[in-house]
Amino acid sequence: GENVEQHPSTLSVQEGDSAVIKCTYSDSASNYFPWYKQELGKGPQLIIDIRSNVGEKKDQRIAVTLNKTAKHFSLHITETQPEDSAVYFCAASNRGSTLGRLYFGRGTQLTVWP
Amino acid sequence: GAVVSQHPSWVICKSGTSVKIECRSLDFQATTMFWYRQFPKQSLMLMATSNEGSKATYEQGVEKDKFLINHASLTLSTLTVTSAHPEDSSFYICSASRGFYNSPLHFGNGTRLTVT
């Protein structure tokens, strides 16, 4: 099955700085890569996703890049704010005609200091 | 707003009793829902895939007789933890998707189960 590795496990940045979280995957058949933000005591919230036919996607301060050849994808958060503090999970899935299961990374605890 | 509703958000029960957790897709039909378990400071562990109108598919190591899943309608799946024990205490989260190729997977807000 798929194996998703996520780094770093913890990340501390100063407000206004950028944060980058990196993930690698093992199954070349994976074609869908979402990122989730989980606040304490809540369920994961989808913040951005990317499909394998796209190399980069942006949504305001958040961007995701995908390198299919190297099998890695990254989350970039610019101009970080204290409210960005949370656990971020990357995931990979093979989505075809049916809904493929998600394989999650171990998560990154992001702390943004004011 | 939320597209997947989970209830209750927290529950405390005594050892040996059963607890039911509901997961609803709010404005769409979900033929497939997923149930996850999450321990503190850990990632989400898939327990089972719930399919409307058929038996759930359980991941290896998950006891299907202990974690009963019923996907009775296109908008509702339930997870029942039977004969709960303290080691079943955890955060349980469901997720659902509209099922189309481009549809993302949305998660409920989870249920914190504490077994005393």
Side-chain angles (χ1 to χ4, degrees):
Chain A
E2 174 66 276
N3 181 42
V4 178
E5 299 281 345
Q6 182 172 347
H7 298 281
S9 56
T10 61
L11 180 59
S12 292
V13 299
Q14 204 73 34
E15 181 177 3
D17 288 349
S18 295
V20 180
I21 303 171
K22 298 183 178 182
C23 289
T24 61
Y25 61 100
S26 61
D27 189 352
S28 57
S30 290
N31 56 16
Y32 175 66
F33 308 93
W35 285 88
Y36 288 88
K37 174 184 180 182
Q38 186 178 27
E39 296 176 337
L40 195 61
K42 295 187 177 181
Q45 177 188 10
L46 179 70
I47 55 172
I48 196 167
D49 58 9
I50 191 168
R51 286 170 174 79
S52 59
N53 58 346
V54 176
E56 182 176 359
K57 184 177 179 180
K58 273 182 118 172
D59 183 3
Q60 298 181 354
R61 296 186 297 110
I62 295 172
V64 57
T65 58
L66 170 66
N67 183 326
K68 284 193 296 181
T69 304
K71 295 199 192 73
H72 67 70
F73 57 113
S74 300
L75 178 71
H76 304 253
I77 305 175
T78 59
E79 300 172 30
T80 54
Q81 301 165 2
E83 48 266 39
D84 295 329
S85 297
V87 179
Y88 290 80
F89 291 99
C90 64
S93 173
N94 179 4
R95 306 192 90 185
S97 57
T98 58
L99 186 63
R101 63 168 287 181
L102 285 177
Y103 293 85
F104 284 91
R106 288 181 173 270
T108 297
Q109 173 69 62
L110 173 65
T111 304
V112 181
W113 299 100
Chain B
V3 296
V4 176
S5 174
Q6 193 171 336
H7 179 82
S9 55
W10 60 271
V11 58
I12 302 172
C13 71
K14 291 187 177 179
S15 192
T17 61
S18 295
V19 172
K20 182 184 283 189
I21 302 169
E22 291 187 349
C23 180
R24 293 181 185 274
S25 56
L26 293 183
D27 62 353
F28 65 97
Q29 295 181 334
T31 55
T32 303
M33 291 184 178
F34 300 91
W35 286 96
Y36 292 83
R37 183 174 182 176
Q38 187 178 35
F39 292 104
K41 297 186 185 297
Q42 292 193 22
S43 190
L44 291 85
M45 182 187 79
L46 181 65
M47 298 175 65
T49 302
S50 169
N51 302 296
E52 189 269 337
S54 65
K55 291 183 178 180
T57 305
Y58 290 82
E59 294 298 303
Q60 192 173 8
V62 178
E63 299 176 59
K64 60 181 180 181
D65 294 331
K66 179 162 194 60
F67 299 100
L68 298 179
I69 290 172
N70 183 18
H71 198 147
S73 76
L74 286 170
T75 59
L76 174 64
S77 176
T78 60
L79 168 68
T80 301
V81 183
T82 62
S83 187
H85 291 286
E87 56 265 31
D88 299 324
S89 299
S90 191
F91 194 51
Y92 294 88
I93 317 172
C94 71
S95 66
S97 167
R98 288 174 168 79
F100 302 119
Y101 174 74
N102 288 326
S103 299
L105 195 64
H106 295 283
F107 285 81
N109 255 339
T111 296
R112 171 71 60 193
L113 171 63
T114 302
V115 185
T116 61

